[in-house]
Amino acid sequence: MDALSAFIFAAAGNPLSYLMIFLFCAIDGFFPPVPSESLVVALASLVPTHGNPNPWLLGLVAGLGAFVGDNVAYLIGRGIGTDRFAWMRRKRLQHAFAWAGYELRLRPVSLILVARFVPIGRVAVNLVAGATGFPRRTFIILTCFSSLGWATYSVLIGILAGRWFEEHHLLGMAVAVAVAIGLGILIDRIVSRVSGNTSLRK
């Protein structure tokens, strides 16, 4: 934990951290193990006490990276589909792909906007959107809005947690990340309940 906090503190004051955020958010768009949301939230939690990073620039870079990542996932889906590789054929991912395909036929706009907030959900939806030939122009417009909303949400969670725990930076980071993860799971459950389908996380 000390090593992680030292890394976050060092990154907060380094201009190259914005490049790192962009890369993490872009890669996370098609490779969910990359913890882009946790990194954005943790860095944002330092804004109230350290003044770094710049929250506006952090949100802009995170949103741009998310947009690029989502559209790379779309292109991957269009180019190779959703069952080319062994990792795509795992039960959990096939479940998510089936869910995404069904929901894209019913409510594509709301799904693409909301799925950005669910790590596995966004990858599944974006890959399936590409594989099923969802209109590219519409997808670009929707991911502009979803990426901006996701980045704003992540930065605000971090800043709020940082204000609440100004004297305890590590606790503020931990709470901010936990809240972000918890809200992602909650959004997943709400969407699944409303749509009448099982959760993406099963």
Side-chain angles (χ1 to χ4, degrees):
M1 189 65 182
D2 289 340
L4 178 61
S5 62
F7 172 77
I8 297 294
F9 284 129
N14 190 332
L16 289 178
S17 64
Y18 298 110
L19 175 61
M20 177 183 65
I21 288 293
F22 172 81
L23 292 175
F24 269 58
C25 292
I27 295 171
D28 186 28
F30 53 89
F31 188 65
V34 176
S36 66
E37 186 170 19
S38 297
L39 185 58
V40 172
V41 170
L43 283 170
S45 72
L46 299 178
V47 171
T49 53
H50 287 66
N52 283 313
N54 182 295
W56 297 101
L57 187 54
L58 176 63
L60 177 63
V61 171
L64 181 59
F67 171 79
V68 170
D70 288 350
N71 281 271
V72 168
Y74 176 94
L75 293 176
I76 291 173
R78 172 166 283 192
I80 66 175
T82 57
D83 59 3
R84 174 73 61 85
F85 301 112
W87 64 269
M88 291 179 167
R89 295 192 290 271
R90 293 175 182 171
K91 183 177 180 180
R92 186 182 184 190
L93 279 175
Q94 283 300 309
H95 171 83
F97 291 149
W99 186 95
Y102 177 80
E103 289 298 315
L104 273 171
R105 291 191 295 272
L106 293 180
R107 49 183 70 82
V109 174
S110 60
L111 181 66
I112 292 172
L113 290 173
V114 173
R116 165 68 356 226
F117 295 82
V118 184
I120 292 178
R122 59 176 171 252
V123 176
V125 168
N126 296 337
L127 285 172
V128 171
T132 57
F134 186 82
R136 179 76 186 282
R137 181 176 297 179
T138 303
F139 184 82
I140 289 174
I141 293 172
L142 291 174
T143 50
C144 278
F145 285 104
S146 64
S147 298
L148 179 61
W150 171 82
T152 302
Y153 147 94
S154 298
V155 171
L156 286 177
I157 287 175
I159 291 175
L160 288 173
R163 288 191 184 279
W164 290 335
F165 299 96
E166 289 188 14
E167 303 301 321
H168 304 281
H169 305 305
L170 290 181
L171 182 58
M173 283 186 206
V175 169
V177 171
V179 169
I181 293 172
L183 287 176
I185 294 173
L186 178 62
I187 290 170
D188 173 22
R189 300 301 183 188
I190 291 173
V191 172
S192 297
R193 181 66 62 86
V194 169
S195 67
N197 284 277
T198 54
S199 170
L200 285 169
R201 295 179 178 275
K202 287 186 178 179

